[in-house]
Amino acid sequence: MLNVPTLWTVFVVNFLALGLIWAYVTRSYPKFEAARFWMASSFIGATGAMTALVRLFVASPLPLLIGAAGVIAASCLAAMGIQRFYDRPVAWRVMTATGVLSLAGVVFFMVGFEHMQLRMLSYTLGQALPLVLALRLLLAPREGRVSPGARLSGIVILTIIGIFAVRTLGNLLGHDFSARAGGQAHGVMVLGLLFLSMTLNFGFLLMAMDRLRNEVADLALLDDLTGVANRRHLLQRLSEECARSERSGEPFSLLVIDLDGFKVINDSHGHAAGDACLRHFTLMAQTRLRPGDMLARTGGDEFCVVLPSSSLREAAAIARRVLEVCRQDAAACTTRDIPIAISIGVAEWDHGIGQFPDRLIAHADHALYDAKKNGKNDFAVYDPAPPLSPERPGLGEATRKFA
């Protein structure tokens, strides 16, 4: 025989434990806003369940009303936590209106006009509607990837809604599944919801772990100064593009960019000014790149740009655009500003490179050397053909070829 008061006591203890877990997560990761909502949901749910237990000792309906308000608020806060997890604005008005209308229905059909079925329907809608509104975020997030934790949470919410539907249908058919009536049927539902609430929060924890793991992985592939890809990420991307090009035969290109006179900037103006120049160049270059192009800082003042599905001619045009925006910015500099000049080497993948990205980097570096040899603040393309004279064809010839 299921003892309903004991089950509600376990419910309270369970929610308090979950609240403490989320409080620890909130303290450890203060920027993780979803944890605050889930912490509040757990503590308020525990308070509501604890208040509902008082009805065993007090004849007044007030403890049941406060308990219902706590459980409804817990559902709303859990749904708002899901919204913040996916960086959506919290629907305060919708959630507040849902909670207030639901509780008003519970009060009216308990105090004003006694009707158990409609009272339970109001209570159920207050719990279920916020979860239904958040369900689509779990099962179909905007970024298109459903994590295992989100899938588990979505399945649990669907199961909870199923139990709510069974409870509502049973009440409409004349069975009293309310807390006031107690009974074994109510005990079974409390036990099921207790297990599902624990599983739902476990799903939220898996979602949090997945998010934190992805953030750590992203940090390992990003340059901490400029926020663009680092050398490790660049090599991964180049390996992927080389393998793709070898399968399809479609070329791609690489730009190697070096800031001219960067050591002088550091020596004359300090490393803080040098860091500011690197960040400023990053912002300028990104304005001239296309969606899908990848800018990476490979170390010091050297950058690379991966240009998928781009011929040498297209890559030269992009190099020219990046060069022009830097020249325009340098021309607009005042006496306080530090002009930025760059040299760019351009190379295209071919079958001789195969799946060895270091060969492509070497070709682009060779072209970069030509650009610097021809006066810097310009670009040159890698030409695998042997020169016709002792002097290698310089920038002027490359520029005429791709003009």
Side-chain angles (χ1 to χ4, degrees):
M1 298 291 290
L2 294 174
N3 185 285
V4 175
T6 302
L7 289 175
W8 276 97
T9 303
V10 174
F11 200 90
V12 171
V13 174
N14 169 63
F15 267 73
L16 286 175
L18 291 171
L20 290 174
I21 292 172
W22 285 119
Y24 182 80
V25 174
T26 301
R27 180 180 176 83
S28 302
Y29 305 97
K31 293 184 179 180
F32 187 42
E33 294 183 30
R36 301 176 190 175
F37 288 93
W38 292 332
M39 175 187 67
S41 173
S42 298
F43 282 135
I44 291 176
T47 304
M50 191 183 305
T51 307
L53 278 174
V54 179
R55 71 180 178 82
L56 299 174
F57 311 101
V58 179
S60 170
L62 187 60
L64 277 179
L65 293 177
I66 297 176
V71 174
I72 291 171
S75 294
C76 292
L77 288 166
M80 288 189 283
I82 295 172
Q83 292 173 339
R84 287 308 304 142
F85 180 84
Y86 288 104
D87 299 320
R88 304 297 199 277
V90 175
W92 287 102
R93 293 182 179 179
V94 175
M95 297 299 175
T96 303
T98 300
V100 169
L101 291 175
S102 173
L103 189 60
V106 172
V107 172
F108 180 76
F109 293 116
M110 177 183 289
V111 180
F113 176 72
E114 174 64 31
H115 197 292
M116 183 274 296
Q117 288 84 356
L118 294 180
R119 182 182 76 241
M120 289 300 298
L121 179 62
S122 299
Y123 176 58
T124 299
L125 287 176
Q127 292 178 274
L129 187 57
L131 297 177
V132 170
L133 294 176
L135 185 61
R136 60 184 178 85
L137 295 176
L138 294 171
L139 300 182
R142 181 182 299 176
E143 52 268 26
R145 177 181 174 272
V146 179
S147 69
R151 187 178 295 108
L152 174 62
S153 299
I155 293 172
V156 170
I157 288 177
L158 287 173
T159 307
I160 291 175
I161 293 171
I163 291 178
F164 288 161
V166 171
R167 184 175 66 184
T168 302
L169 182 61
N171 287 329
L172 293 176
L173 293 177
H175 303 285
D176 192 349
F177 292 151
S178 65
R180 177 180 289 184
Q184 290 302 295
H186 176 69
V188 170
M189 288 189 176
V190 171
L191 182 62
L193 292 173
L194 171 63
F195 171 76
L196 290 171
S197 65
M198 294 174 59
T199 309
L200 179 60
N201 277 271
F202 182 67
F204 291 162
L205 284 170
L206 287 179
M207 289 164 57
M209 291 169 59
D210 188 64
R211 168 69 62 83
L212 294 172
R213 184 175 63 250
N214 289 338
E215 289 181 357
V216 171
D218 289 342
L219 289 174
L221 297 176
L222 295 179
D223 176 60
D224 56 355
L225 176 64
T226 61
V228 299
N230 60 16
R231 184 175 182 83
R232 178 188 297 177
H233 196 181
L234 171 72
L235 294 176
Q236 289 182 3
R237 180 67 180 273
L238 284 176
S239 297
E240 293 170 0
E241 293 295 335
C242 285
R244 184 178 297 112
S245 292
E246 193 165 41
R247 289 194 304 269
S248 65
E250 184 180 32
F252 76 97
S253 296
L254 177 70
L255 308 183
V256 172
I257 305 173
D258 188 76
L259 272 62
D260 297 328
F262 185 72
K263 185 177 185 302
V264 175
I265 294 175
N266 274 335
D267 293 342
S268 303
H269 302 278
H271 289 282
D275 291 346
C277 286
L278 293 173
R279 287 191 291 265
H280 184 57
F281 164 74
T282 299
L283 295 175
M284 287 192 299
Q286 288 175 323
T287 64
R288 294 301 183 266
L289 300 180
R290 309 161 301 179
D293 297 341
M294 190 186 81
L295 176 64
R297 181 184 176 211
T298 55
D301 60 339
E302 187 171 287
F303 294 80
C304 288
V305 181
V306 181
L307 304 172
S309 304
S310 299
S311 65
L312 196 61
R313 182 179 296 276
E314 292 169 329
I318 294 172
R320 187 180 294 110
R321 292 205 300 265
V322 174
L323 193 63
E324 286 174 355
V325 73
C326 290
R327 287 173 175 172
Q328 292 168 5
D329 184 79
C333 283
T334 64
T335 53
R336 295 182 178 180
D337 298 325
I338 303 174
I340 297 175
I342 61 172
S343 297
I344 306 177
V346 187
E348 179 186 22
W349 179 91
D350 57 37
H351 289 286
I353 292 172
Q355 297 191 31
F356 300 97
D358 55 317
R359 297 177 182 176
L360 180 61
I361 295 174
H363 291 176
D365 278 335
H366 196 286
L368 175 66
Y369 172 77
D370 285 347
K372 286 186 173 293
K373 188 173 65 175
N374 283 279
K376 301 183 178 181
N377 200 24
D378 223 320
F379 79 95
V381 299
Y382 177 75
D383 184 2
L388 299 178
S389 64
E391 289 295 328
R392 181 177 177 80
L395 173 63
E397 182 175 334
T399 305
R400 287 194 300 272
K401 179 178 179 182
F402 294 99

